[in-house]
Amino acid sequence: MMMAVPLAMMLATAPAADAVGAGRKSFSACLEAQIEPALKVKATLADFGQTLKTKCGDKETAFRTAILAADKADGMSLKDSQSDADDQVAEYVDKITAEYEDYAKSP
C-alpha cells in the first residue's frame, strides 16, 4: 500500500506536466512560424515583436496557464509561479527574436 501512494501522486501530477509540454510545443511552433513571413516583408525587430504578440498571444496564454497550474500543483506560491511563467515565456521570445535578428542580418 505504501508504494501505491507515491505512484498515485505521480499520476495525479502527470496531466499538468503534459499540459506544460503541449503548451510549450504549441507556443514554440507558433513563434517559429512567424520568422519566414517577417523576413519576406523585412519587418523591423519591433514589428516582429508585435507580430509575435498578435499571432501567438493565445498560445502564450495557454502556456502560461499550464505553467501556473503545474507550479500550483507542486506547491509553488503564486508570486513564484508567475515569475516562473514570465521567465519561461521570455526565454522563448528572446530566443526566437535573436534568431530573427540573425536571419534578418544575413544577406
Side-chain angles (χ1 to χ4, degrees), residues 9 30 71 87:
M9 290 175 61
C30 183
D71 286 351
D87 289 347

Side-chain angles (χ1 to χ4, degrees), residues 1-48:
M1 184 69 172
M2 295 279 270
M3 300 275 289
V5 174
L7 178 60
M9 290 175 61
M10 287 184 351
L11 292 174
T13 61
D18 290 344
V20 172
R24 178 180 290 116
K25 185 175 182 179
S26 178
F27 181 52
S28 177
C30 183
L31 295 175
E32 289 175 15
Q34 306 316 310
I35 292 176
E36 191 173 329
L39 288 171
K40 285 182 180 178
V41 298
K42 299 182 185 213
T44 65
L45 205 52
D47 288 342
F48 180 69

Side-chain angles (χ1 to χ4, degrees), residues 4 6-7 10-11 21 26 34-35 37 53-55 63 69 71-72 80-81 91 102:
L7 178 60
M10 287 184 351
L11 292 174
S26 178
Q34 306 316 310
I35 292 176
K53 289 178 185 176
T54 302
K55 300 275 186 172
F63 182 38
D71 286 351
K72 181 179 180 182
D80 288 344
S81 181
E91 184 178 327
D102 288 345

